[in-house]
Amino acid sequence: MPKMKTKSGAKKRFSMTATGKVKAGQAGKRHGMIKRTKKFIRDARGNTILSEQDSRIVKKYMPYDR
């Protein structure tokens, strides 16, 4: 059986926590900040933990990061 390949886009965008959850950067902060509310900008700081459904997809892309 050959080695499975990690999707190179996934390894740049996601990282795993010690408990196996998937961390990702907050979405929606690239441009258009002038029209966003201050609360949105505050809440979108830092990283976020992906939902279980999204984590399942990302984990398929990163077979050795479990």
Side-chain angles (χ1 to χ4, degrees):
M1 204 54 199
K3 290 182 181 177
M4 296 172 70
K5 289 197 172 181
T6 297
K7 293 274 187 185
S8 60
K11 71 184 172 191
K12 295 169 192 170
R13 289 171 172 83
F14 306 108
S15 60
M16 305 292 278
T17 64
T19 57
K21 295 178 181 171
V22 181
K23 281 196 307 188
Q26 280 284 4
K29 288 205 58 180
R30 292 291 178 190
H31 58 83
M33 288 299 101
I34 200 84
K35 64 181 127 181
R36 309 267 193 251
T37 63
K38 300 293 181 196
K39 181 180 186 302
F40 175 90
I41 296 170
R42 266 197 320 275
D43 290 344
R45 276 186 201 142
N47 297 330
T48 186
I49 302 293
L50 291 188
S51 66
E52 188 58 44
Q53 295 87 347
D54 291 336
S55 297
R56 215 173 295 145
I57 296 166
V58 171
K59 284 178 182 176
K60 285 181 188 168
Y61 296 153
M62 303 169 74
Y64 298 108
D65 235 358
R66 296 193 185 192

